[in-house]
């Protein structure tokens, strides 16, 4: 995976290109497995309750370097993402975005004696 640095700060979204249609001289991220990557990232964000949205979009204009992703708004591009990169991407998202409380309102792993 190659990273092109953009703005820092807390991203609100991770944009994942899942474009399935290649152009006349352009490859497409969908043809390189980006749907599978998006599904795995969505599952990882849910499981770890990371406070960020994963949004599937159609093209980040980095078609030759895909699968392509970008922290948004205005953040770094992640290019040539492979399955093995996903744990590190989730770690970065968790560190920069934090986590949501559990749906029952209790923090993750909370224990209340006698409750
Ligand atoms: S098809 Fe993914 S960046 Fe263009």
């Amino acid at each position: 995976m190659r990273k092109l640095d953009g703005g820092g700060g807390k991203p609100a979204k991770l944009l994942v290109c899942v474009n399935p249609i290649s152009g006349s001289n352009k490859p497409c991220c969908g043809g390189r497995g980006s749907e599978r990557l998006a599904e795995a990232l969505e599952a990882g964000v849910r499981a770890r309750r990371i406070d960020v949205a994963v949004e599937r979009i159609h093209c980040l204009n980095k078609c030759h370097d895909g699968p392509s992703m970008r922290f948004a708004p205005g953040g770094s591009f992640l290019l040539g993402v492979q399955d093995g990169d996903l744990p590190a991407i989730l770690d970065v998202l968790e560190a920069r975005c934090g986590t949501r409380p559990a749906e029952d309102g209790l923090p993750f792993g909370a224990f209340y004696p006698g409750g």
Side-chain angles (χ1 to χ4, degrees), residues 1-85:
M1 174 180 70
R2 196 161 57 97
K3 181 179 170 193
L4 297 182
D5 281 323
K10 178 184 173 184
K13 297 178 182 177
L14 177 66
L15 305 176
V16 180
C17 174
V18 294
N19 181 13
I21 302 168
S22 56
S24 58
N25 62 353
K26 283 185 177 180
C28 63
C29 295
R32 293 174 166 169
S34 63
E35 282 277 356
R36 184 187 70 250
L37 296 171
E39 286 171 16
L41 284 167
E42 289 161 354
V45 163
R46 266 195 314 276
R48 292 167 64 162
R49 296 190 181 119
I50 301 172
D51 191 17
V52 70
V54 176
E55 183 175 320
R56 298 176 187 214
I57 65 164
H58 284 190
C59 206
L60 285 163
N61 206 25
K62 299 287 184 190
C63 316
H64 289 284
D65 298 314
S68 305
M69 302 181 184
R70 187 175 196 191
F71 297 118
S76 302
F77 283 94
L78 305 175
L79 304 174
V81 177
Q82 301 298 310
D83 293 293
D85 299 320

